[in-house]
Amino acid sequence: MDLIKPFRDPARVDKLLEMIHREATGSYRFMEVCGGHTAAVHKYGIKELFPGNISLISGPGCPVCVSSGSFIDHAIALSRRTDTITASFGDLLRVPGGSKKTLYEAKSRGADIRIVYSINEALNIAKRNRQKRILFPAIGFETTAPGNAAGILEAERNEIRNFLMLSAQKIMPPAMKAVAEGETNINGFVCPGHVSAITGSGIYRFLVDEHGTGCVIAGFEPVDILSSVLMLLRQVNNQRPDVEIQYRRAVKPEGNVLAKNIMNKVFGLSDEWWRGFGIIPGSGLQLKPEYEKFDARRVFPGYTFTEQENEGCICGSILRGLNTPADCPLYVSECTPDHPVGACMVSSEGACNVYYCTGKRVYSE
Amino acid sequence: MCLSIPARIVSVDEDYAVVSFGGNTFRAGVQLLDDVRPGDYVLLHAGFAIQKLDPAEAEETLRLIDEMQDPGNDRQ
Ligand code: SF4
């Protein structure tokens, strides 16, 4: 079966839109938590097709966007060591640290920094360069953390002792709780599909029970997103908030139990700093003491959450759903994907980058 | 970063599998999945297959969506 085409079918899109227009009789503020959804919504021009009384607001689910300046600065400092090779996801290289410097600059000044697409490639570099330490700055949510955990288990099994992880990994529910308790006034979450493929649907239950906010776990094709919005709309109209799974082909109620077990074996919860929110208790994933020999924070301490945002950048309030990129005075004028001032302009899932790259150069809502 | 793509398992060798997507093949970790077989669809993310994709559920989703569109059937 084709798993993509029927979810892009124009006839289905048209019918869903017609129903959304017909049933949207109130006023709705839905947040698409995941940056992947933000990118899809703009790529397919979905936002422009909604009636004016439905706002789709982008949220904190972009791992590059929420990572802290001090994390970047720590990675830069370690990358400058001559005994170290840094193996990083490409996006991270362009994120300005608190010092306003980037890993790219460190690379251009001679630091050995290599772009990898997975922890497996970083492990291979470690195997081939036993005389060096390999630093892997790990970001990502529940989608990415199980693979990173499997990598640590492999390093343990194959005695790859020169491998170090600098973790700023995070989990989604505490940030969604912060949004639900904040001043954004959301009446429904389009929940992250690939986080949920791992976690299952139970992690969102508290949003319904404690905050009365509906949750629909959505896929990433136009038909997925539109039918999820319609499901949320009906939850609001019927005053029956619930956790529903639209993305059934990838998300089971219990998630991927094996992946969760691997993640929980290797990582424990920690307090973590999020751009826009500050420190959220229990929202981070750090290596458990059993694996501390792979933990760059223990081997090279000196990590503090002293955060200073680049002046004028409102990335933080965009991640909380309070502003859009168009509200930022630096958007387009000084901040572009070639010269990002803030983290939200770097990643292809960051709201500012998505707005810019889908042509909303002078967009106002 | 969180981008995950649907891919198909070509062959499996213990912890790793060859997967194909859009005419290209990649090597991916399958440690996070029980019992993957050639022909299975999986979600590929940062070098790992993170979940199986279920074609029967995809069809069920489309059926539910198409039913939603049936006038008179769109509210309980
Ligand atoms: S446009 Fe640039 S400076 Fe403005 S909020 Fe976005 S990332 Fe920050």
Side-chain angles (χ1 to χ4, degrees), chain A residues 45-85:
Chain A
I46 289 172
K47 225 171 152 167
E48 282 75 9
L49 301 172
F50 282 150
N53 52 350
I54 298 181
S55 307
L56 249 195
I57 299 153
S58 50
C62 159
V64 175
C65 304
V66 292
S67 55
S68 72
S70 43
F71 166 70
I72 300 291
D73 287 339
H74 199 183
I76 292 172
L78 298 183
S79 74
R80 288 210 188 103
R81 297 174 58 100
T82 51
D83 61 354
T84 300
I85 299 172

Side-chain angles (χ1 to χ4, degrees), chain A residues 13-50:
Chain A
V13 166
D14 282 348
K15 283 189 189 165
L16 283 165
L17 274 170
E18 197 189 299
M19 296 171 85
I20 288 171
H21 277 263
R22 196 169 62 228
E23 294 183 34
T25 50
S27 153
Y28 311 84
R29 287 171 59 79
F30 300 141
M31 174 178 277
E32 91 274 3
V33 178
C34 167
H37 279 137
T38 303
V41 160
H42 287 270
K43 176 173 153 199
Y44 298 117
I46 289 172
K47 225 171 152 167
E48 282 75 9
L49 301 172
F50 282 150

